[in-house]
Amino acid sequence: MCKNGVEHSCQKATQEHMHEVNTGTMERPLEAIRMENSTSSCFAMERKTRVKINRKEVMLAKLRKSCSCTPKKLKNCVMNFFPVLRWLPKYHCKEYIWGDVMSGLVIGIILVPQAIAYSLLAGLKPIYSLYTSFFANIIYFLMGTSRHVSVGIFSLISLMVGQVVDRELLLAGFDLNDDVPPALGDGSLQNDSQSNTTAFNHTIAGMNAECGKECYAIGIATALTFVAGVYQVLMGIFRLGFVSMYLSESVLDGFATGASLTILTAQVKYLIGIKIPRSQGHGMLVITWINIFRNISQANLCDVITSAICIVVLVTAKELGDRYKHKLKFPLPTELVVIVVATLVSHYGKLNEVYASSVSGAIPTGFVPPKVPHFNLMLRVAVDALPLAIVSFVFTVSLSEMCAKKYAYTIRANQEMFAVGFCNIIPSFFHSFATSAALAKTLVKTSTGCQTQVSGVISAMVVLLVLLFLAPLFYSLQKCVLACIIIVSLRGALRKFRDVPARYHVNKVDTLVWVVTMSASALISTEIGLLVGIVFSMLCIIVRTQRPRTALLGQIQDTSFYEDDLEYENLSSVPKVKIFRFEAPLYYANRNYFLKSLYRLTNLDPNLEAARRKKYEKKEKQHLKKGDHRTVNGLGIGETTLQLVPKQIDFQALVVDCSSISFLDTTGVNTLMEILKDYKDLNISVLLACCNPSVIDSLKRGGYFGTDFGSMQEMLFYSIHNAVQFAKDRKLPPDCSV
């Protein structure tokens, strides 16, 4: 393509003109690359001129723009930070209000029992779970960009918080199994402040005050939540959302399934009413199950019967709800019904007093005065907060993108980072712990007619009603009922085991990543499992690029197309030409594999052949010096040439299909230059086909085409067929034996 943008053909005889063009008679270099139109013509393709960017000036301009402050810019900044200011004034009340109110009420009703239940996972009192659900909904309403996700308490995040809380309680000298019966009272916050705690009047992580077990536990949780929120905000400021790309679907699914097994294991002791040590550290799942079977004889019959009834009711209701969800305007509030009925039965049947069934105890009403998370505790949990921040952000953004795609609107991932970050930072001052978007509640929200985050405000109001007035009514609620709710909510994650055969059929490597991540998350720990999944996933990618597919190609009969000779029938081999395909970038890690595969498939190692020739030539010279006109093989000198050239060299040209080579590093360029030289010594031409522009640029910079690019038109081709035609029409060198 010339400067005026018109393609023109140049005859093969005009190479001198092309050399002149490429050495500077025109303003921009031309790439002479042979096309398929004919074997004797080529097209000169003119590359666009790249405008040289002054990075210093660009950075200064961006800095000036970011530092400038105008009323309009300030307004946009505030409205971007609080998206509610953009969409709320445009809220269509008549169109949206009914769906938002209905979905908000349903989610609020679901939130209350789940919040109380998930407090078992976090190792905290139920009141703190209610605080978390309330503040998260309000803050996401102000700052979130998704219209449909439900942000609040989430089982996986609660488990991660609970593991850190339990570890720090043990290190501080508290007994995790301290299960003092709750004191009777009116359910007020003050009456419960000293219940079920062991007072320690000494310095714990710099806290010089009398702090009981409950006080220290929520202190750890709030410090962990605050640091996780700070990490998320910093990731938003520095635009590090790309970190989430390293969590593939297989890693996330495996992580969620492994964590679900851990959650299930942790709830079994409540399910059957036994008291066993709360295991910590690596291998918690195995140790817990060993302790369960050792103490199975101590199971509380009342808890076992209650658990069996609750699980049957919950699972049946869930299955019926899934089957007839198209006929139901909103899902049945089964959890709430089960909790209300179970609480009434436990209260009037005096299950705690008569059968020693463990109950939730007094849940205070009202709000605790805000408190700044303790700095020394932040230092203790700074490392634990990082995986918590990443998992929370990834689940929130993934669900936000899913909803945005389904309902045809856009979200801003960076703003989502800020939203979920402040959903952790601000509530941490109000005795709340980490939050995230939850899949189950998000699906319920969308199925009940949610239109905007106004539904989140309605849900928060329902939780507020419980916080202010209804919380003490759950005093007699059995813990085994809460455990049943948690276990049944894991149905979706545990069903992933059924998908393993289908997953394996689709992609074996992804299945292996899922199995490894799931196993590590369940058998070691959730944080280690996540790290193992990420590292193993990356290693799989590296291995796949280190040992990619390689093939010799054959021609599809009567066409200009070529495919893998081992994969397809009735392909024709091309006389005098070998076509080699390498399906990966060529870089330092797979250089040796590239050469080994090339030599194996072409049945020729040019280095060995060159050494063999030198050896025979040396022996022939020695015989000639002695005056023996016969060779070492008993042949005449005229026959020696044929003996030196091996019969397996049945090709005069090697075509390298570069269509799958996305980039070359310095080692990759040197590798191609090496095979060019080695095969040239054997009078075999090396032709490159289907190179992308970045690969061509790398070859140019590496000197593959020489200093003037004059031979470029005889080395580089836009298609395999064009390279094959060029090789077939080219005359053989006089000493090239076929």
Side-chain angles (χ1 to χ4, degrees):
M1 186 174 292
C2 292
K3 286 178 65 179
N4 58 10
V6 181
E7 290 188 0
H8 66 87
S9 63
C10 57
Q11 296 300 320
K12 187 176 181 180
T14 62
Q15 290 185 10
E16 295 83 2
H17 171 68
M18 290 301 304
H19 175 71
E20 182 180 347
V21 167
N22 282 317
T23 52
T25 58
M26 299 187 70
E27 294 180 4
R28 287 179 281 186
L30 303 181
E31 291 178 0
I33 307 175
R34 295 199 172 273
M35 304 289 286
E36 292 186 9
N37 293 351
S38 67
T39 60
S40 62
S41 65
C42 66
F43 284 94
M45 303 293 293
E46 184 178 5
R47 294 286 292 275
K48 291 184 177 180
T49 302
R50 295 182 180 179
V51 180
K52 190 173 181 179
I53 300 174
N54 189 327
R55 297 187 181 276
K56 183 178 178 181
E57 291 183 0
V58 172
M59 292 296 293
L60 288 174
K62 288 184 177 180
L63 188 61
R64 284 193 296 268
K65 184 178 179 182
S66 61
C67 292
S68 63
C69 184
T70 62
K72 182 178 180 181
K73 185 176 180 181
L74 183 61
K75 178 183 176 182
N76 287 334
C77 183
V78 173
M79 296 187 75
N80 286 335
F81 197 71
F82 295 102
V84 66
L85 299 176
R86 291 188 183 275
W87 62 262
L88 191 58
K90 302 175 184 178
Y91 186 80
H92 301 293
C93 188
K94 292 182 179 179
E95 184 179 352
Y96 295 161
I97 192 64
W98 175 248
D100 284 342
V101 170
M102 286 300 299
S103 65
L105 288 173
V106 172
I107 294 298
I109 291 170
I110 294 174
L111 264 177
V112 172
Q114 282 195 351
I116 298 173
Y118 291 164
S119 63
L120 296 180
L121 295 176
L124 301 168
K125 293 294 182 180
I127 188 65
Y128 302 125
S129 302
L130 295 172
Y131 289 158
T132 302
S133 299
F134 172 75
F135 285 109
N137 277 281
I138 295 296
I139 295 170
Y140 192 82
F141 163 75
L142 297 173
M143 301 186 64
T145 59
S146 175
R147 304 174 192 170
H148 298 89
V149 297
S150 176
V151 176
I153 194 166
F154 182 39
S155 59
L156 184 55
I157 301 299
S158 299
L159 173 69
M160 296 176 74
V161 171
Q163 290 178 334
V164 178
V165 169
D166 287 350
R167 184 196 69 205
E168 293 300 320
L169 285 175
L170 280 175
L171 292 176
F174 289 100
D175 182 10
L176 293 183
N177 304 294
D178 185 12
D179 194 17
V180 179
L184 297 176
D186 59 359
S188 65
L189 186 63
Q190 290 75 18
N191 288 340
D192 189 59
S193 60
Q194 298 299 323
S195 66
N196 198 21
T197 60
T198 304
F200 278 71
N201 192 12
H202 67 289
T203 300
I204 302 174
M207 298 175 67
N208 293 311
E210 183 175 344
C211 186
K213 176 182 174 182
E214 180 185 344
C215 163
Y216 190 62
I218 191 59
I220 292 292
T222 55
L224 177 68
T225 301
F226 180 85
V227 177
V230 169
Y231 285 157
Q232 290 166 336
V233 171
L234 289 176
M235 290 168 69
I237 292 174
F238 294 106
R239 302 187 179 277
L240 299 179
F242 68 87
V243 173
S244 64
M245 294 187 296
Y246 295 101
L247 296 176
S248 65
E249 182 180 348
S250 299
V251 171
L252 284 176
D253 283 350
F255 175 63
T257 306
S260 297
L261 292 176
T262 304
I263 294 171
L264 172 65
T265 301
Q267 299 309 302
V268 171
K269 68 174 185 177
Y270 298 111
L271 207 67
I272 60 179
I274 62 175
K275 290 180 174 59
I276 58 174
R278 292 176 66 173
S279 303
Q280 277 295 302
H282 305 330
M284 184 272 285
L285 183 138
V286 175
I287 295 172
T288 302
W289 277 108
I290 291 173
N291 289 330
I292 288 172
F293 285 113
R294 281 179 178 175
N295 296 275
I296 194 72
S297 59
Q298 301 174 10
N300 188 301
L301 185 60
C302 176
D303 285 344
V304 172
I305 295 173
T306 303
S307 299
I309 295 172
C310 290
I311 288 178
V312 169
V313 172
L314 287 169
V315 170
T316 303
K318 293 289 184 183
E319 293 295 330
L320 291 175
D322 291 343
R323 181 174 299 182
Y324 299 105
K325 60 183 177 181
H326 59 283
K327 296 182 179 180
L328 299 173
K329 293 184 178 181
F330 56 87
L332 299 173
T334 314
E335 291 95 342
L336 185 63
V337 173
V338 168
I339 279 184
V340 170
V341 174
T343 303
L344 292 174
V345 171
S346 176
H347 176 73
Y348 290 105
K350 298 183 179 181
L351 301 184
N352 176 243
E353 294 83 352
V354 177
Y355 301 103
S357 179
S358 181
V359 297
S360 298
I363 302 177
T365 55
F367 288 90
V368 180
K371 183 180 179 181
V372 178
H374 204 279
F375 181 74
N376 286 344
L377 294 180
M378 294 181 198
L379 297 179
R380 295 181 66 91
V381 298
V383 176
D384 302 289
L386 185 58
L388 185 69
I390 293 174
V391 171
S392 173
F393 162 70
V394 168
F395 274 102
T396 302
V397 171
S398 300
L399 288 176
S400 298
E401 290 178 345
M402 180 189 75
C403 294
K405 183 178 180 180
K406 182 177 180 180
Y407 293 97
Y409 62 90
T410 59
I411 65 160
R412 289 183 286 128
N414 209 53
Q415 180 59 28
E416 287 294 298
M417 186 93 78
F418 285 126
V420 73
F422 282 100
C423 279
N424 286 325
I425 291 176
I426 297 175
S428 68
F429 291 85
F430 295 91
H431 306 272
S432 302
F433 55 91
T435 59
S436 168
L439 176 60
K441 290 192 286 290
T442 298
L443 294 177
V444 171
K445 202 170 184 179
T446 56
S447 66
T448 51
C450 172
Q451 299 293 330
T452 67
Q453 283 298 332
V454 170
S455 63
V457 178
I458 304 298
S459 300
M461 294 303 104
V462 175
V463 176
L464 180 63
L465 181 66
V466 175
L467 275 170
L468 295 179
F469 305 107
L470 305 179
L473 299 178
F474 297 101
Y475 175 92
S476 299
L477 178 61
Q478 293 168 273
K479 289 184 178 180
C480 66
V481 177
L482 300 178
C484 292
I485 293 174
I486 294 173
I487 291 172
V488 173
S489 70
L490 301 175
R491 287 162 58 248
L494 297 177
R495 279 176 174 172
K496 297 289 183 181
F497 285 102
R498 297 193 310 186
D499 301 334
V500 172
R503 188 189 293 268
Y504 183 81
H505 179 73
V506 172
N507 193 302
K508 297 178 177 62
V509 175
D510 282 350
T511 307
L512 184 60
V513 171
W514 183 89
V515 170
V516 169
T517 308
M518 183 273 299
S519 302
S521 299
L523 300 177
I524 304 176
S525 70
T526 51
E527 293 84 357
I528 297 297
L530 182 63
L531 180 61
V532 167
I534 295 172
V535 172
F536 186 75
S537 180
M538 290 182 178
L539 287 176
C540 287
I541 295 173
I542 293 172
V543 169
R544 291 170 80 172
T545 59
Q546 281 186 309
R547 302 185 66 84
R549 281 179 54 85
T550 56
L552 278 186
L553 308 186
Q555 185 176 16
I556 302 175
Q557 295 180 358
D558 302 324
T559 70
S560 59
F561 302 104
Y562 299 79
E563 261 306 339
D564 188 347
D565 194 41
L566 295 178
E567 295 291 335
Y568 295 92
E569 299 284 352
N570 303 321
L571 296 182
S572 303
S573 60
V574 181
K576 308 179 185 179
V577 179
K578 297 283 188 182
I579 308 167
F580 176 71
R581 174 184 287 169
F582 188 73
E583 300 181 2
L586 180 55
Y587 66 114
Y588 67 93
N590 60 19
R591 171 191 182 275
N592 291 333
Y593 185 75
F594 174 87
L595 294 175
K596 288 179 181 179
S597 300
L598 175 63
Y599 299 160
R600 174 175 54 83
L601 291 174
T602 58
N603 199 25
L604 173 65
D605 185 335
N607 297 311
L608 294 178
E609 178 58 26
R612 178 182 174 279
R613 289 190 178 191
K614 288 180 181 179
K615 178 181 178 182
Y616 273 85
E617 287 175 359
K618 183 178 179 180
K619 289 184 178 181
E620 288 302 320
K621 288 179 181 179
Q622 291 175 351
H623 280 275
L624 289 174
K625 285 181 180 180
K626 294 177 180 179
D628 188 357
H629 295 285
R630 304 295 295 177
T631 67
V632 292
N633 293 313
L635 300 173
I637 293 178
E639 300 169 290
T640 303
T641 303
L642 289 177
Q643 182 68 22
L644 292 178
V645 181
K647 296 180 181 179
Q648 65 264 29
I649 301 183
D650 58 350
F651 62 99
Q652 70 180 32
L654 171 68
V655 178
V656 180
D657 177 11
C658 301
S659 59
S660 298
I661 300 178
S662 56
F663 69 86
L664 299 171
D665 67 351
T666 303
T667 304
V669 174
N670 292 337
T671 301
L672 292 179
M673 293 178 68
E674 179 184 331
I675 66 171
L676 178 67
K677 176 182 177 300
D678 291 343
Y679 280 104
K680 185 178 180 180
D681 292 341
L682 300 180
N683 296 307
I684 297 175
S685 302
V686 177
L687 311 176
L688 305 182
C690 308
C691 295
N692 64 51
S694 67
V695 169
I696 295 174
D697 289 341
S698 297
L699 293 172
K700 282 183 178 180
R701 290 191 295 268
Y704 184 84
F705 304 111
T707 56
D708 55 4
F709 310 134
S711 60
M712 188 173 176
Q713 59 179 333
E714 295 187 354
M715 304 170 71
L716 197 63
F717 299 84
Y718 272 109
S719 71
I720 298 174
H721 187 65
N722 187 227
V724 170
Q725 291 297 105
F726 177 81
K728 289 170 66 176
D729 293 346
R730 189 178 185 183
K731 291 184 179 180
L732 286 172
D735 60 345
C736 183
S737 175
V738 181

